[in-house]
């Protein structure tokens, strides 16, 4: 209902604008509207970028406010602009533009942007943002790379050829898988293992892939088993976490109960949603979804997947995944016999018993943020 009111008020605003004459061009809108003078300056400073953007029609533009651009200039990302110049600005603006007039954002989900340059993305349909409309806040929340969140400010403006939403934070062009998981999302063990196995370049060259990335504590809990593997077996384990030519967004996985996914190792993974609506990949619990990467999407899981393990569905009330390898933390240092104890992997039972190290699978709805519940319910 609120959404309808909001859409109606947006339409009323546009009708008023139309009554007063035609809509301004995008450039005139940015030039004449308070709060966009920095964006205007950027556009005027790079005429070829300005001309390519203003040549577009039927588009939705997310336009960073002055405050957003000031804050952007304080982040490490700003160096990409100072070093990349027009090329980076073009990519960054493309990542803020959708093909089509989206005055209808309601359902949570990925939206393809105009960023398609292979220097910045290997998503063939364009890099995505994730957006949902928050009816109580009268705003759209948007997620981009590095798990960063932006919000729209007030009502959208119409211009000749599209619609413009002011936003309070510059979108973050997603980095490589390794970059995206090495920060606060706690997937650096996987990135390090890819690197040590010499797989990083091969992984980054994939297009439209899904990466099931174990959280560091899930990795650590079976590190003794992993360190006992031959290099070839470890490569197989790593490739078993990657599904090429498939984009496992939350909205897709949610509909994929029982579906198998063919991984880079050639073996298959199975998606499960149990009756408690918890999501699992084989026996590993899904803990966080929809983190965009340069060439796909990252799904965090609570355990390492084992291509040679037996796979059984989780129990109907399981909340956490179970280890697919014998647990035990590898001893580092002296190089002597490892003294830590191991357990046998509970691959055949999936009791849902979680080790103390595991973070616990969040409920399906909580996976993509509590505010989103307003939309889903
Ligand atoms: C921007 O606005 C100024 C006046 O504030 C005007 O002189 C200039 O021509 C405008 N530029 C564009 C591209 O509309
Ligand atoms: C823009 O969208 C309108 C209506 O959706 C359509 O009729 C028109 O052909 C589109 N224009 C372009 C250039 O795609
Ligand atoms: C929302 O608008 C876009 C752009 O016009 C269109 O592609 C999409 O199908 C619309 N979605 C719905 C649910 O109407
Ligand atoms: C990613 O976000 C974290 C904070 O959540 C920040 O410390 C880090 O600098 C960011 N990385 C990049 C590349 O922006
Ligand atoms: C990452 O790990 C730190 C330290 O263990 C923890 O405080 C934090 O909550 C974790 N973050 C996520 C997103 O799991
Ligand atoms: C896209 O893939 C190519 C290989 O086809 C690779 O060289 C490039 O670095 C990738 N781009 C990104 C942004 O990761
Ligand atoms: C998924 O499929 C399994 C097996 O068919 C079933 O037990 C389970 O209830 C399904 N989950 C949902 C959420 O429908």
């Amino acid at each position: 209902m609120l959404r309808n009111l909001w859409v109606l008020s947006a339409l009323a605003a546009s009708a008023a604008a139309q009554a007063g004459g035609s809509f301004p061009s995008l450039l005139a809108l940015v030039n004449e509207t308070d709060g966009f003078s920095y964006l205007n300056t950027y556009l005027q400073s790079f005429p070829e970028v300005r001309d390519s953007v203003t040549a577009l029609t039927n588009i939705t533009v997310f336009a960073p406010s002055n405050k957003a651009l000031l804050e952007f200039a304080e982040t490490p990302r700003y160096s990409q602009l100072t070093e990349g110049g027009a090329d980076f600005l073009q990519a960054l603006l493309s990542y803020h533009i959708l093909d089509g007039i989206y005055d209808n954002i309601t359902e949570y989900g990925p939206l393809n942007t105009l960023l398609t340059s292979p220097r910045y993305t290997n998503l063939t349909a364009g890099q995505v943002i994730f957006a949902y409309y928050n009816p109580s806040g009268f705003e759209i929340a948007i997620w981009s790379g590095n798990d960063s969140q932006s919000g729209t400010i007030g009502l959208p403006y119409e211009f000749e050829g599209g619609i413009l939403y002011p936003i309070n934070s510059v979108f973050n062009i997603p980095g490589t898988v390794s970059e995206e998981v090495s920060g606060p999302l706690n997937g650096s063990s996987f990135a390090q293992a890819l690197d040590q196995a010499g797989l990083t370049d091969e992984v980054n060259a994939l297009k439209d892939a899904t990466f099931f990335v174990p959280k560091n504590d899930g990795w650590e809990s079976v590190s003794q088993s992993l360190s006992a593997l031959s290099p070839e077996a470890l490569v197989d384990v790593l490739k078993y976490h990657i599904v090429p030519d498939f984009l496992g967004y939350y909205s897709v996985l949610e509909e994929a109960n029982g579906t198998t996914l063919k991984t880079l190792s050639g073996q298959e993974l199975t998606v499960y949603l149990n009756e408690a609506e918890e999501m699992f990949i084989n026996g590993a619990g899904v803990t966080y979804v929809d983190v965009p990467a340069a060439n796909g999407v990252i799904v965090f899981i609570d355990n390492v997947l084992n291509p040679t393990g037996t796979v059984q569905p989780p129990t109907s009330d399981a909340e956490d995944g179970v280890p697919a390898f014998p647990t035990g933390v590898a001893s580092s240092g002296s190089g002597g016999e490892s003294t830590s104890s191991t357990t046998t992997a509970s691959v055949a039972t999936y009791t849902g018993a979680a080790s103390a190290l595991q973070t616990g699978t969040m409920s399906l709805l909580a996976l993509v943020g509590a505010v989103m519940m307003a939309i889903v319910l």
Side-chain angles (χ1 to χ4, degrees), residues 75-77 146-147 172 183-184:
T75 67
R77 297 190 280 146
N146 199 26
D147 202 34
N172 204 334

Side-chain angles (χ1 to χ4, degrees), residues 122-368:
N122 279 320
L123 279 197
T124 49
Q127 184 52 276
V128 297
I129 54 174
F130 295 89
Y132 79 85
Y133 172 63
N134 172 4
S136 55
F138 284 88
E139 62 168 27
I140 297 167
I142 300 115
W143 275 275
S144 58
N146 199 26
D147 202 34
S148 49
Q149 197 186 332
S150 307
T152 56
I153 311 165
L155 291 174
Y157 295 86
E158 292 204 47
F159 59 90
E160 191 186 0
I163 183 171
L164 176 147
Y165 293 93
I167 52 168
N168 61 14
S169 178
V170 175
F171 299 166
N172 204 334
I173 296 177
T176 62
V177 181
S178 296
E179 285 165 355
E180 288 292 322
V181 303
S182 292
L185 293 176
N186 295 343
S188 56
S189 301
F190 183 76
Q192 278 160 20
L194 284 178
D195 204 33
Q196 278 158 18
L199 285 174
T200 304
D201 287 348
E202 183 182 340
V203 163
N204 289 344
L206 295 170
K207 298 187 193 321
D208 303 328
T210 299
F211 306 94
F212 293 106
V213 174
K215 306 280 285 198
N216 289 343
D217 45 13
W219 189 275
E220 185 69 5
S221 71
V222 296
S223 56
Q224 195 176 28
S225 296
L226 296 176
S227 62
L229 296 174
S230 69
E232 296 74 23
L234 186 61
V235 163
D236 249 13
V237 168
L238 290 166
K239 288 186 168 178
Y240 192 52
H241 289 73
I242 299 169
V243 182
D245 304 315
F246 169 76
L247 289 167
Y249 298 124
Y250 168 80
S251 52
V252 172
L253 295 177
E254 178 187 34
E255 304 294 330
N257 191 16
T259 304
T260 54
L261 306 172
K262 181 135 187 221
T263 69
L264 206 53
S265 77
Q267 291 131 308
E268 290 181 335
L269 296 170
T270 307
V271 181
Y272 292 113
L273 278 85
N274 68 8
E275 276 161 32
E277 300 232 317
E278 305 290 346
M279 190 184 283
F280 296 82
I281 304 301
N282 288 356
V286 170
T287 62
Y288 204 67
V289 296
D290 286 350
V291 175
N295 59 343
V297 62
I298 297 159
V299 176
F300 283 92
I301 52 179
D302 61 6
N303 277 284
V304 180
L305 301 164
N306 184 350
T308 63
T310 319
V311 174
Q312 292 209 346
T315 58
S316 60
D317 60 348
E319 292 181 353
D320 300 299
V322 293
F325 288 94
T327 55
V329 176
S331 62
S332 56
S334 67
E337 279 292 294
S338 168
T339 52
S340 48
S341 62
T342 59
T343 65
T344 48
S346 42
V347 285
T349 52
Y350 289 113
T351 59
S355 86
L357 281 175
Q358 290 158 11
T359 50
T361 305
M362 296 166 78
S363 89
L364 210 52
L365 292 175
L367 287 174
V368 283

Side-chain angles (χ1 to χ4, degrees), residues 60-76:
T60 300
V61 178
F62 294 95
S65 66
N66 284 350
K67 188 162 170 288
L69 283 169
L70 268 184
E71 284 172 8
F72 176 69
E74 301 286 312
T75 67

Side-chain angles (χ1 to χ4, degrees), residues 26-27 48-59 160-161:
L26 175 58
L27 218 50
E48 68 273 39
V49 177
R50 178 196 63 204
D51 293 348
S52 77
V53 169
T54 51
L56 299 167
T57 57
N58 277 359
I59 54 170
E160 191 186 0

